[in-house]
Amino acid sequence: MDFNLPNALTWFRIIAIPLIVIVFYLPVTWARPAAGVLFALAGITDWLDGYLARRLGQTSSFGAFLDPVADKLIVATALVLLVQARAADVAAYKHFDLGLGRDPTVVLAVVAAVIIGREITVSALREWMSQIGARAHVAVNYVGKWKTTFQIVGIALMLYREPVLGGGVYLVGEVMLYVAAGLTLWSMIEYLRAAWPARGWAEVSVARR
């Protein structure tokens, strides 16, 4: 295992996962803002580790494996926290409504399922493409990068929740998360389209065995 600065930043994202959960549920007024800040810091390392790995010439196969794993774990965990918190808010405040229907928890739960489901699908697709020697066909595209940006900022704002300068950051974050969900579906379709021509290689590979 290669241990260097980029990989250390990636490990920070993984270590931050239980910290975010613990801080999120602390019985103090600053719990949600602190969880949001922690998530934001972890999100910054998502960009920084890749940049430093290329800049310092410290790219490695282990880092390439660990980086997306850390991203998916921290995003999935944060989405679960937000859905649970939304359900608790709806139960405590019967009139909690964002204009999205009687129970806005359902909308957020569907968005979370779309994002998590996409990550599982793309991960499985990349594994399959790697096995048939066509991993380059499903390299990260620009839509995926925009999706990641909206997703990280949106989740961080929703975790933070408290108003900033009189503005409601939660609603802004939720809108950004919905945009991220749309980009999530778009990027998944792009990955599937890019991988589709390679299905013939897989059939030839199987036929030769």
Side-chain angles (χ1 to χ4, degrees):
M1 181 181 72
D2 298 317
F3 190 83
N4 49 42
L5 181 56
N7 285 350
L9 291 173
T10 304
W11 276 112
F12 168 76
R13 281 208 302 289
I14 294 177
I15 295 172
I17 295 172
L19 294 179
I20 290 171
V21 175
I22 292 170
V23 171
F24 186 87
Y25 286 114
L26 287 177
V28 293
T29 56
W30 48 264
R32 290 289 295 265
V37 170
L38 267 176
F39 184 88
L41 290 174
I44 292 173
T45 68
D46 182 28
W47 168 81
L48 193 59
D49 59 2
Y51 171 78
L52 289 176
R54 293 185 296 270
R55 182 82 173 182
L56 302 176
Q58 295 179 342
T59 57
S60 65
S61 57
F62 179 75
F65 156 76
L66 190 64
D67 181 64
V69 170
D71 297 343
K72 290 168 177 54
L73 286 175
I74 197 168
V75 167
T77 301
L79 288 172
V80 170
L81 293 177
L82 290 173
V83 172
Q84 187 277 328
R86 170 67 64 81
D89 287 340
V90 171
Y93 307 102
K94 301 301 182 182
H95 300 293
F96 183 92
D97 188 7
L98 294 177
L100 301 172
R102 294 185 60 186
D103 188 353
T105 306
V106 175
V107 178
L108 185 58
V110 169
V111 168
V114 166
I115 292 175
I116 294 173
R118 179 266 188 193
E119 299 299 343
I120 294 173
T121 301
V122 172
S123 293
L125 179 64
R126 284 176 175 160
E127 177 65 23
W128 174 63
M129 296 296 282
S130 179
Q131 290 179 3
I132 64 173
R135 176 67 182 262
H137 283 252
V138 286
V140 177
N141 57 34
Y142 74 96
V143 179
K145 292 179 179 178
W146 277 109
K147 181 270 300 182
T148 299
T149 300
F150 274 90
Q151 184 173 270
I152 290 175
V153 176
I155 291 175
L157 292 176
M158 292 179 73
L159 287 172
Y160 191 92
R161 190 175 68 175
E162 300 301 320
V164 175
L165 300 176
V169 299
Y170 186 92
L171 185 56
V172 173
E174 187 162 7
V175 171
M176 294 187 72
L177 188 63
Y178 294 160
V179 173
L183 293 173
T184 286
L185 293 175
W186 184 6
S187 65
M188 182 176 71
I189 292 172
E190 289 296 314
Y191 282 127
L192 292 173
R193 287 178 57 188
W196 186 253
R199 73 192 189 284
W201 302 352
E203 293 170 358
V204 171
S205 176
V206 171
R208 289 176 177 175
R209 292 178 182 177

